[in-house]
Amino acid sequence: MTGGAMDVLPAAPAAAAAEPEADEEADPPAAAALTLSPADSPPAPQVSEPRAPDSSRMQMPPGNPLLLSLTLQELLARDAVQVELIPEKKGLFLKHVEYEVSSQRFKSCVYRRYNDFVVFHEMLLQKFPYRMVPALPPKRMLGADREFIEARRRALKRFINLVARHPPFSEDVVLKLFLSFSGPDVQNKLKESAQCVGDEFMNCKLAARAKDFLPADIQTQFAISRELIRNIYNSFHKLRDRAERMVSRAIDNAADLLVFGKELSALGSDTTPLPSWATLNSSTWGSLKQALKGLSVEFALLADKAAQQGKQEENDVVEKLNLFLDLLQSYKDLCERHEKGVLHKHQRALHKYSLMKRQMTSAAAQNREPECVEQLESRIVEQENVIQTMELRNYFSLYCLHQETQLVHVYLPLTSHILRAFVSSQIQGHKEMSKVWNDLQPKLQCLFAGPHGAPSPPRSPQDGLSPH
């Protein structure tokens, strides 16, 4: 585990690290890329070939860097980033929204636009293609209303907190620049920091030895983990949807209670004179109006309590569910990048190598000029280096996937935090509303006053009404 670990590559040219692709040939099927004849096989073993379990591979080296020793509390304590909307829109003609981004870790407060987040996201994907980079919320060109802007602010806050707490991201200069650089052009500064640096594979001292730290059944473990996290994602997606519906019902309930109280107050404040037909009961209606008029205060308080409960559950339950869903979605995206990216490029490199070997065999059989054969040999050597680099990248991608899977499981205890917040909100909300309802009950006694002003308890619905 020293800096010389990268030297195991046999004099691979710079073109090998750039992973050139076979543009002149169509993409081969996955099966075709893995069925080379023995004469066409490159010196390095193919990644997808079945391998017998090796006792040396089964034993993890001491101090295995593959394993993450983190708890959820330690992860959350890495940083807490706030993203607040600045009310004024900047710009003379094209108005744009600006955000105040403050980091607890860096003791910083900077101003960022959505496009700054976009460039930052691109730099993360460029430097860490084998890690979970959360997706950004979509950009709406026209008609961005207040609800859309608030939803995007929440999503940006979740994004930057997941990034700021991610172990490799949190130590990278691009994160520090984004959270603390207060210069005029943060986008160029971010791009400059990533120039001529290369991705994590090029800079990690263990990249060439990633295979040594992986278990022999890594492909099986990867498939099982992917299926498990897909199931967890589906369940949490349903939980989030139900939690959103409960929040929506609480807000609707608050609005209904407020209108209910206002209508009672309007009824009590009615100034329409009583007709002569009702003069015998004029005193009763007057006392009823007086009682109804004062009930709007309690119903307004009930509405406020219901709205507070909905707001609290939106912040403590729905947002945490969304945070975990964003993390799970980034894991799913990473799995797709692994299969469609490095694995697909490796298959194309193998296919191109196979074509070159066949051309070489054909040229030798036809006794072509030595210069042509020498050129083919040179291309074959170059392609062998490409294949070896792609194989190393494939193992490094699996190495990172193994760590990212552990990181997802570190976040899993967040479930207990969500449930505790949900239960506490329900208990507190019902307790406070119950108190208001109990305080309201004595004030209803005057609504049931008898003909001589004596209180008369209300009749229950099942008692019915007297025919007389």
Side-chain angles (χ1 to χ4, degrees):
M1 291 185 286
T2 62
M6 290 295 291
D7 299 335
V8 298
L9 285 175
E19 305 165 20
E21 297 181 359
D23 298 330
E24 64 274 8
E25 298 294 337
D27 292 347
L34 303 177
T35 53
L36 301 179
S37 63
D40 295 338
S41 300
Q46 299 180 29
V47 174
S48 301
E49 289 179 349
R51 293 176 287 107
D54 185 0
S55 59
S56 63
R57 291 285 314 284
M58 298 296 288
Q59 297 177 356
M60 290 291 183
N64 184 11
L66 181 67
L67 304 179
L68 295 180
S69 56
L70 283 172
T71 65
L72 179 62
Q73 288 73 20
E74 292 171 343
L75 207 59
L76 298 178
R78 282 176 173 259
D79 201 355
V81 184
Q82 299 298 324
V83 179
E84 300 298 337
L85 183 67
I86 297 177
E88 306 85 17
K89 288 188 176 182
K90 308 294 183 181
L92 295 176
F93 301 103
L94 295 176
K95 304 293 184 180
H96 64 263
V97 177
E98 203 167 34
Y99 303 93
E100 183 182 76
V101 181
S102 55
S103 166
Q104 192 177 77
R105 174 189 175 189
F106 294 105
K107 305 291 189 298
S108 60
C109 182
V110 294
Y111 299 98
R112 296 288 181 257
R113 296 172 54 184
Y114 177 80
N115 288 338
D116 298 333
F117 280 90
V118 172
V119 173
F120 175 57
H121 183 264
E122 292 172 354
M123 295 304 101
L124 285 175
L125 281 174
Q126 179 179 320
K127 297 186 74 173
F128 300 97
Y130 310 124
R131 300 288 182 178
M132 293 187 298
V133 180
L136 284 176
K139 181 177 184 178
R140 182 181 294 184
M141 298 301 296
L142 298 174
D145 54 16
R146 182 178 301 178
E147 183 178 354
F148 171 83
I149 292 175
E150 171 60 18
R152 190 170 68 178
R153 182 197 68 80
R154 289 176 176 269
L156 290 174
K157 180 180 177 181
R158 297 194 302 268
F159 162 80
I160 193 62
N161 274 285
L162 285 173
V163 170
R165 294 163 182 167
H166 191 284
F169 301 165
S170 63
E171 304 304 323
D172 193 77
V173 65
V174 71
L175 174 71
K176 183 176 181 180
L177 280 172
F178 185 80
L179 291 178
S180 61
F181 179 73
S182 57
D185 194 354
V186 67
Q187 295 183 23
N188 283 336
K189 196 72 174 177
L190 290 170
K191 292 176 182 177
E192 289 173 4
S193 70
Q195 284 180 353
C196 305
V197 175
D199 62 9
E200 187 183 8
F201 173 79
M202 301 296 294
N203 295 288
C204 180
K205 297 179 180 179
L206 299 175
R209 297 186 55 206
K211 178 179 178 181
D212 299 333
F213 301 103
L214 294 173
D217 59 344
I218 182 62
Q219 296 289 356
T220 303
Q221 290 192 26
F222 167 58
I224 295 174
S225 296
R226 188 176 186 181
E227 180 66 21
L228 172 63
I229 291 177
R230 180 164 45 234
N231 295 337
I232 293 173
Y233 176 87
N234 292 335
S235 294
F236 269 83
H237 196 279
K238 294 176 182 177
L239 289 173
R240 193 276 314 274
D241 289 347
R242 295 298 165 175
E244 284 184 336
R245 291 180 62 180
M246 285 187 279
V247 168
S248 179
R249 284 199 298 269
I251 295 174
D252 290 343
N253 184 38
D256 291 340
L257 286 168
L258 188 61
V259 173
F260 194 91
K262 287 182 178 179
E263 289 303 321
L264 289 178
S265 179
L267 190 62
S269 302
D270 186 78
T271 57
T272 306
L274 285 173
S276 58
W277 298 353
T279 52
L280 294 177
N281 296 321
S282 60
S283 60
T284 303
W285 176 237
S287 61
L288 282 173
K289 288 205 307 179
Q290 189 65 28
L292 293 173
K293 188 176 181 180
L295 295 181
S296 63
V297 176
E298 280 74 18
F299 277 94
L301 187 57
L302 286 168
D304 184 59
K305 297 296 183 185
Q308 286 181 11
Q309 181 178 347
K311 190 69 175 177
Q312 182 177 354
E313 289 179 6
E314 184 177 31
N315 292 330
D316 296 342
V317 179
V318 175
E319 273 305 292
K320 286 178 180 174
L321 285 169
N322 278 326
L323 178 79
F324 192 50
L325 282 173
D326 290 349
L327 179 76
L328 296 177
Q329 182 62 53
S330 67
Y331 182 86
K332 293 171 65 179
D333 295 342
L334 176 61
C335 293
E336 290 186 8
R337 285 204 305 275
H338 171 74
E339 291 186 338
K340 296 179 180 179
V342 62
L343 202 58
H344 178 67
K345 289 179 180 179
H346 186 216
Q347 291 170 352
R348 293 187 68 178
L350 289 172
H351 180 66
K352 184 176 180 180
Y353 179 83
S354 173
L355 293 175
M356 289 180 179
K357 291 286 285 186
R358 290 171 187 171
Q359 291 175 5
M360 182 67 181
T361 304
S362 176
Q366 296 176 10
N367 294 321
R368 292 187 181 178
E369 296 180 1
E371 291 183 0
C372 179
V373 175
E374 185 177 340
Q375 185 178 12
L376 277 173
E377 288 177 347
S378 176
R379 291 177 60 193
I380 288 174
V381 171
E382 180 180 348
Q383 190 65 15
E384 287 174 352
N385 290 331
V386 171
I387 291 173
Q388 187 176 15
T389 301
M390 290 310 306
E391 179 175 330
L392 291 174
R393 280 189 173 271
N394 183 71
Y395 280 122
F396 184 69
S397 179
L398 289 170
Y399 173 92
C400 294
L401 264 169
H402 198 301
Q403 287 191 328
E404 300 301 276
T405 305
Q406 295 176 65
L407 189 60
V408 170
H409 284 269
V410 172
Y411 268 101
L412 271 175
L414 192 65
T415 308
S416 60
H417 292 242
I418 296 170
L419 289 175
R420 183 170 58 189
F422 176 63
V423 172
S424 299
S425 174
Q426 289 288 325
I427 292 173
Q428 185 67 20
H430 284 85
K431 182 179 179 181
E432 292 181 357
M433 292 190 70
S434 177
K435 183 180 183 306
V436 179
W437 284 116
N438 288 328
D439 292 343
L440 177 61
Q441 190 173 15
K443 299 182 180 181
L444 303 180
Q445 293 302 324
C446 56
L447 295 175
F448 312 112
H452 303 291
S456 174
R459 303 170 70 90
S460 59
Q462 59 268 27
D463 289 342
L465 296 175
S466 171
H468 306 292

